[in-house]
Each structure stands twice: as structure tokens, then as C-alpha cells.
């Protein structure tokens, strides 16, 4: 009986899954948009995506890691 009241207040399971799916698509598009912007910026500047040493102690971890 509690699931009935839950579906009345939150909507059906299908509607909840649909809205969650749309939100995930929105987040993915935003993420990809940022990655594309970074790739275009690095390409225009002619710099590499990564440094020589990318561990936590490295001073130069690469421009890609700094931007993200």
C-alpha cells in the first residue's frame, strides 16, 4: 500500500526513470561540451594534453588535468 502512495506523490516508475534518463543525457551533453571546448582550446594553442610525469607529486601534470 505504501508503494501506491509513493507512486502517487513521485509519479510512476516509468516517469521517474524517464526523468532520470533525461537528466543523465543532459549531464553527459554538458560534460562532452566541456571536453570538446578543452580539445579545441588545446588544439588552437598547440599544446599537449599531458605532461611527462602525471603522478600526484609531479609539478607539470599536463594542461588537460589542470583545466579539468
Amino acid at each position: 500500500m505504501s508503494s501506491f502512495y509513493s507512486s502517487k506523490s513521485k509519479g510512476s516508475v516509468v516517469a521517474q526513470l524517464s526523468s532520470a534518463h533525461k537528466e543523465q543525457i543532459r549531464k553527459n551533453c554538458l560534460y562532452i561540451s566541456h571536453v570538446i571546448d578543452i580539445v579545441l582550446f588545446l588544439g588552437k594553442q598547440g599544446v599537449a594534453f599531458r605532461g611527462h610525469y602525471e603522478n600526484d607529486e609531479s609539478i607539470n601534470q599536463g594542461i588537460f588535468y589542470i583545466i579539468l
Side-chain angles (χ1 to χ4, degrees), residues 41-56:
F41 172 76
L42 294 175
K44 288 176 185 174
Q45 298 296 320
V47 295
F49 280 92
R50 34 180 252 179
H52 295 290
Y53 303 104
E54 297 163 351
N55 58 15
D56 292 334

Side-chain angles (χ1 to χ4, degrees), residues 19-40:
S19 64
H21 183 254
K22 287 179 184 177
E23 178 64 19
Q24 186 64 47
I25 289 174
R26 186 191 67 77
K27 287 180 180 179
N28 289 347
C29 287
L30 184 62
Y31 182 79
I32 290 295
S33 174
H34 287 303
V35 170
I36 290 171
D37 289 341
I38 290 168
V39 169
L40 290 174

